[in-house]
């Protein structure tokens, strides 16, 4: 899968400036509005990234552009989380081995359990939401079904579809952002307000 930290993407944030406001749909309405910093942990990157923020001249709301492998509200990248979930829930590895598969050998097991708990809760909804993108899947349960679909669609493509089209999140939104996350948009990178 793709999703490696791309220094070019991060250093050239205007490359993916959305051509319309995701909130009021106005065209060519977004202007640069500074940056914010967030941490991101990826198999090949662990540090702070600058995230471009835009302001809509029409509705005066802001939109921020995240790299597509960065999940809104989660510090760990989609790559790390997907490698972990597949190793643990699809291949049946132990928590320790799954952490190793995700290049997070030293991570506390509670972190992995948190991802698993969130994913299990989301799995039935993911199966429904991703059905238009995936070939029919035969699987013993919701979790296996959702994982098989994500593997066949590609996690980043699935994330992009869920987030941009349905305002959904692979691991669900936390209570403060439920049900739809903050206002956001997507391009090859994705955005949160
Ligand atoms: Zn707007």
């Amino acid at each position: 899968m793709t999703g490696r930290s791309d220094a070019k993407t991060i250093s050239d944030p205007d490359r993916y400036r959305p051509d319309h406001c995701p909130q009021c749909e106005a065209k060519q309405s977004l202007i640069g509005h500074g940056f914010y910093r967030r941490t991101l942990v990826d198999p090949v990157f662990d540090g702070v990234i600058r995230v471009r923020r835009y302001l809509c001249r029409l509705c005066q709301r802001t939109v921020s552009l995240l790299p597509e492998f960065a999940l809104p509200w989660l510090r760990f990248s989609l790559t790390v989380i997907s490698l972990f979930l597949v190793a643990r829930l699809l291949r049946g590895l132990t928590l320790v081995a799954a952490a190793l598969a995700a290049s997070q050998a030293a991570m506390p097991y509670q972190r992995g359990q948190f991802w698993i708990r969130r994913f299990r809760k989301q799995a039935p909804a993911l199966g429904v939401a991703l059905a238009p993108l995936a070939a029919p899947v035969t699987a013993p349960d919701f979790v296996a079904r959702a994982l098989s679909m994500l593997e066949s669609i590609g996690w980043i493509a699935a994330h992009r579809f869920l987030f941009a089209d349905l305002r959904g999140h692979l691991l669900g939104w936390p209570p403060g952002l439920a049900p739809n996350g903050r206002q956001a948009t997507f391009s090859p990178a994705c955005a949160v307000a």
Side-chain angles (χ1 to χ4, degrees), residues 35-85:
F35 297 84
Y36 72 89
R37 291 172 178 274
R38 61 158 280 174
T39 55
L40 180 71
V41 183
D42 193 57
V44 295
F45 179 86
D46 181 349
V48 174
I49 60 170
R50 288 202 316 166
V51 178
R52 189 62 156 130
R53 185 183 283 133
Y54 301 97
L55 176 69
C56 174
R57 285 174 293 192
L58 205 67
C59 71
Q60 298 293 310
R61 282 178 287 194
T62 58
V63 178
S64 305
L65 209 60
L66 281 178
E68 62 186 355
F69 50 84
L71 290 165
W73 80 268
L74 291 169
R75 187 159 66 94
F76 289 80
S77 75
L78 179 55
T79 313
V80 169
I81 292 174
S82 62
L83 287 171
F84 177 85
L85 291 175

Side-chain angles (χ1 to χ4, degrees), residues 122-144:
Q122 276 298 93
L126 290 175
V128 173
L130 296 175
L133 270 61
V137 171
T138 308
D141 55 52
F142 285 123
V143 168

Side-chain angles (χ1 to χ4, degrees), residues 131-162:
L133 270 61
V137 171
T138 308
D141 55 52
F142 285 123
V143 168
R145 179 163 187 262
L147 285 169
S148 300
M149 293 169 94
L150 284 161
E151 286 287 281
S152 74
I153 295 163
W155 287 72
I156 285 179
H159 164 54
R160 184 184 298 144
F161 169 75
L162 278 177

Side-chain angles (χ1 to χ4, degrees), residues 155-191:
W155 287 72
I156 285 179
H159 164 54
R160 184 184 298 144
F161 169 75
L162 278 177
F163 185 60
D165 290 11
L166 306 176
R167 307 291 318 158
H169 192 293
L170 284 169
L171 295 189
W173 294 108
L177 297 178
N180 296 317
R182 293 187 234 178
Q183 294 296 333
T185 190
F186 241 132
S187 63
C190 77

